[in-house]
Amino acid sequence: MALLLVSFQGWTQQAPYYFNFIADFTGDEFADWGLQVYPFTDSSYLVIGAASDSVTGANLNYVFLGVSATVISEEGTIIDKRYFARPFEQLSAIQARTSVQTLDGGFATTGVWQRFTPGFGGAYYGKYLLKIDANLDSTWMMLDSGSQVLNQSITIMNLLVTSDEGYLIAGWTYTGRIFFSKYDSNGIHLWDKFQNINGGVFSLSNTDDGGFFLTGFRDNSAYICKLDSLCNTEWYQTYNPDGTASNVAKGIPLENGGYFFAYYRIVSQFDADVEFCWMDSNQIIFRKKRLWLEYDQWINDIIELEDHSIVVLGQSGERPGGDNLDRAMMVKFSPDGDFEWVRKYFLWSVGVNSTKGLSLTHDNGFFLTGSQHDSISASPYTDTWFLKVDSIGCPFPNCGPALSSEGLSVISSTRISAYPNPVSSTLTLTSKECPLEEKALIRLYSIEGKQMDEVLLPFGFESIGFDVTSFPAGSYFWEYRNAAEKKETGRFQVVK
């Protein structure tokens, strides 16, 4: 397995929340993607991922896809590694997408099963389910041929162990049709359910009532949905408050009966931020936090700790004009919903660093995994990386202060809304408390921090327009500040 090994020697602190490290690649496989990480023994961890290699057969070159399982010690060394795949002679391959720990101490993984058709110019797509025991030996593999469609791909992101010790797979088709497939404990298919919407599902969690909590997207909106035990919809909500291009949500149910979810808003091709939401059991959002660090953010994993604090794993890119490389990102919220810390990790000097899995470590720290793809030099190789950090996100002792909420571009606007966004001519800022019974100042800034405009708002302010036709295309900020120095900020995109 091509694995990216972290060496704690040579770390340098680039900023209060950036870190570089020396890394070494091992193995000669074509590609490897780390998906999830689990505590395995008292002194080791298990990374389950997807692996592939180039294979020549029938005068054709194929990419051989399968599942990888790698055991890693506390010190970061590889103890064991296994591969699980279909025999190449059957002209089929499995693409691992997600995994789950089973009730018997083993693991299950699912994804897309492809059956190639040489000479016909296409492939069939279906689902697979692989059961691995606690000794990392395969128990059985299910190939769901009934769901195959020629040259019409499906996306699978979710696998759960259900209360009856069976399995539930969730994903969506290329047409945006969400599906749920139920299997018993031996991988026997039981039933399918569908949501005929233009959407997809990015997270699916068990709830205490035997149902499920789903988050994803629907049309251009973040999609939050509660399902019963048979995947029938009990309620759903969509979010697209600013009318931006795309919104995708990921979330979890909380122990108090409520829900936490985060959705990112794509403002432009290379510009996005994340809004974090706390919802009570009556589907009322009672707290919001918004975070902007660079651009093109993505949320990949969320866990609730025993003290009811929340840790989020994601990735965030560098703004245009920078190095255009993704960083791994971790955010921790206190039980009261305040930002405790934010860390970003610069994992490699080239390419895209994709985060996937997050787990607690034996010493109350965190274990992260993901993959790195060298997109700059157009290399076909993708490699797994893994990273162990302490309880405050440090990869080594005294790594420096975390980026606190004072240093974040935290957007929590309760008084001002801005539209249209993106904008080409006139940006209108409107008070949500009409009229606004205080004096205030609004400034517009470029992404580099250059002040572009400023207006002092009188008592009774309801709305004001800013002519942005002379602004170059790109990202900008508005800043609202009243006499008591209460500050709110927001971001808008100028297009030409």
Side-chain angles (χ1 to χ4, degrees):
M1 178 191 303
L3 204 64
L4 181 60
L5 299 179
V6 175
S7 171
F8 293 145
Q9 290 76 35
W11 286 79
T12 58
Q13 188 172 332
Q14 189 178 24
Y17 57 103
Y18 284 88
F19 303 97
N20 291 325
F21 66 79
I22 297 172
D24 296 307
F25 292 91
T26 63
D28 57 359
E29 280 68 34
F30 185 77
D32 191 86
W33 300 267
L35 296 175
Q36 276 90 27
V37 58
Y38 306 92
F40 190 55
T41 67
D42 291 340
S43 59
S44 66
Y45 304 90
L46 177 67
V47 176
I48 292 182
S52 68
D53 200 354
S54 57
V55 177
T56 301
N59 298 319
L60 293 172
N61 289 323
Y62 295 95
V63 176
F64 188 65
L65 301 164
V67 179
S68 63
T70 305
V71 181
I72 303 165
S73 72
E74 288 278 6
E75 294 74 28
T77 59
I78 299 175
I79 299 173
D80 191 9
K81 54 186 177 182
R82 308 284 179 91
Y83 298 97
F84 309 90
R86 293 286 294 165
F88 175 72
E89 296 77 27
Q90 298 184 26
L91 292 176
S92 65
I94 57 175
Q95 295 177 291
R97 286 293 178 263
T98 187
S99 63
V100 67
Q101 191 160 19
T102 55
L103 300 178
D104 60 1
F107 303 88
T109 175
T110 190
V112 178
W113 168 41
Q114 292 176 274
R115 182 165 61 85
F116 304 110
T117 56
F120 188 76
Y124 286 92
Y125 295 85
K127 299 184 287 289
Y128 85 88
L129 181 61
L130 170 67
K131 177 66 172 66
I132 304 169
D133 65 22
N135 296 317
L136 300 187
D137 293 321
S138 60
T139 302
W140 47 260
M141 179 183 290
M142 175 282 301
L143 299 176
D144 188 349
S145 59
S147 64
Q148 291 187 102
V149 181
L150 179 62
N151 290 340
Q152 296 181 5
S153 63
I154 61 176
T155 301
I156 295 174
M157 300 287 286
N158 305 274
L159 173 64
L160 293 179
V161 175
T162 53
S163 57
D164 59 0
E165 301 187 17
Y167 303 93
L168 182 67
I169 297 174
W172 69 95
T173 68
Y174 82 109
T175 58
R177 188 188 193 198
I178 293 176
F179 62 82
F180 308 95
S181 298
K182 182 68 170 67
Y183 303 85
D184 68 14
S185 59
N186 295 311
I188 303 301
H189 179 260
L190 300 177
W191 50 259
D192 293 306
K193 289 288 181 68
F194 298 92
Q195 291 187 354
N196 293 310
I197 62 174
N198 181 27
V201 49
F202 271 76
S203 63
L204 187 70
S205 305
N206 290 299
T207 55
D208 290 339
D209 61 0
F212 309 98
F213 178 58
L214 177 155
T215 63
F217 65 93
R218 181 170 181 166
D219 296 317
N220 287 327
S221 299
Y223 180 46
I224 314 299
C225 182
K226 176 65 174 66
L227 306 170
D228 65 17
S229 60
L230 296 176
C231 293
N232 298 307
T233 300
E234 294 184 353
W235 56 262
Y236 78 88
Q237 295 186 20
T238 58
Y239 300 91
N240 193 349
D242 301 317
T244 50
S246 180
N247 296 265
V248 176
K250 191 149 190 172
I252 57 171
L254 300 176
E255 290 189 8
N256 63 9
Y259 307 92
F260 173 86
F261 64 92
Y263 68 95
Y264 73 92
R265 310 177 315 120
I266 298 178
V267 179
S268 69
Q269 182 180 3
F270 299 109
D271 203 2
D273 57 28
V274 177
E275 186 163 82
F276 304 92
C277 300
W278 286 256
M279 175 188 284
D280 64 22
S281 58
N282 295 314
Q283 300 98 58
I284 303 298
I285 294 177
F286 62 90
R287 181 188 300 126
K288 290 184 180 181
K289 299 283 185 179
R290 189 174 290 177
L291 172 63
W292 178 83
L293 284 170
E294 302 293 348
Y295 77 97
D296 192 22
Q297 299 185 77
W298 191 273
I299 301 301
N300 287 302
D301 209 351
I302 305 170
I303 57 176
E304 181 183 14
L305 305 183
E306 289 185 359
D307 65 354
H308 305 301
S309 58
I310 294 172
V311 179
V312 179
L313 174 67
Q315 63 199 59
S316 176
E318 181 76 8
R319 65 168 60 99
D323 53 33
N324 295 318
L325 302 177
D326 288 342
R327 273 79 167 150
M329 176 182 71
M330 286 183 67
V331 182
K332 186 180 181 186
F333 294 99
S334 72
D336 296 325
D338 295 323
F339 283 101
E340 285 195 6
W341 48 261
V342 175
R343 301 279 188 188
K344 295 184 71 182
Y345 310 98
F346 186 20
L347 295 171
W348 193 246
S349 59
V350 293
V352 176
N353 294 298
S354 174
T355 61
K356 292 296 182 182
L358 173 68
S359 175
L360 284 171
T361 60
H362 305 299
D363 55 2
N364 297 316
F366 303 97
F367 197 109
L368 295 64
T369 191
S371 59
Q372 184 275 340
H373 174 61
D374 183 357
S375 59
I376 293 180
S377 63
S379 167
Y381 292 92
T382 300
D383 293 87
T384 292
W385 58 261
F386 53 90
L387 175 63
K388 185 176 182 291
V389 299
D390 64 17
S391 60
I392 59 171
C394 282
F396 56 87
N398 304 314
C399 68
L403 187 64
S404 69
S405 59
E406 292 299 317
L408 296 172
S409 296
V410 178
I411 305 170
S412 183
S413 180
T414 59
R415 298 187 175 193
I416 306 296
S417 63
Y419 64 90
N421 191 4
V423 59
S424 59
S425 56
T426 301
L427 177 73
T428 300
L429 273 68
T430 301
S431 169
K432 298 178 183 178
E433 302 173 3
C434 296
L436 193 65
E437 296 180 353
E438 62 181 355
K439 289 184 178 180
L441 184 71
I442 288 184
R443 294 189 177 104
L444 303 185
Y445 292 95
S446 70
I447 197 170
E448 293 82 14
K450 177 183 176 182
Q451 183 174 318
M452 307 295 292
D453 205 342
E454 175 182 290
V455 173
L456 179 64
L457 304 176
F459 286 103
F461 158 73
E462 295 187 13
S463 67
I464 190 170
F466 290 88
D467 183 2
V468 299
T469 54
S470 63
F471 290 16
S475 294
Y476 295 83
F477 294 90
W478 57 263
E479 177 188 88
Y480 160 88
R481 191 185 297 270
N482 63 13
E485 291 298 301
K486 181 177 180 180
K487 178 180 175 182
E488 296 179 11
T489 59
R491 187 168 48 160
F492 63 96
Q493 188 80 8
V494 174
V495 295
K496 298 296 183 181

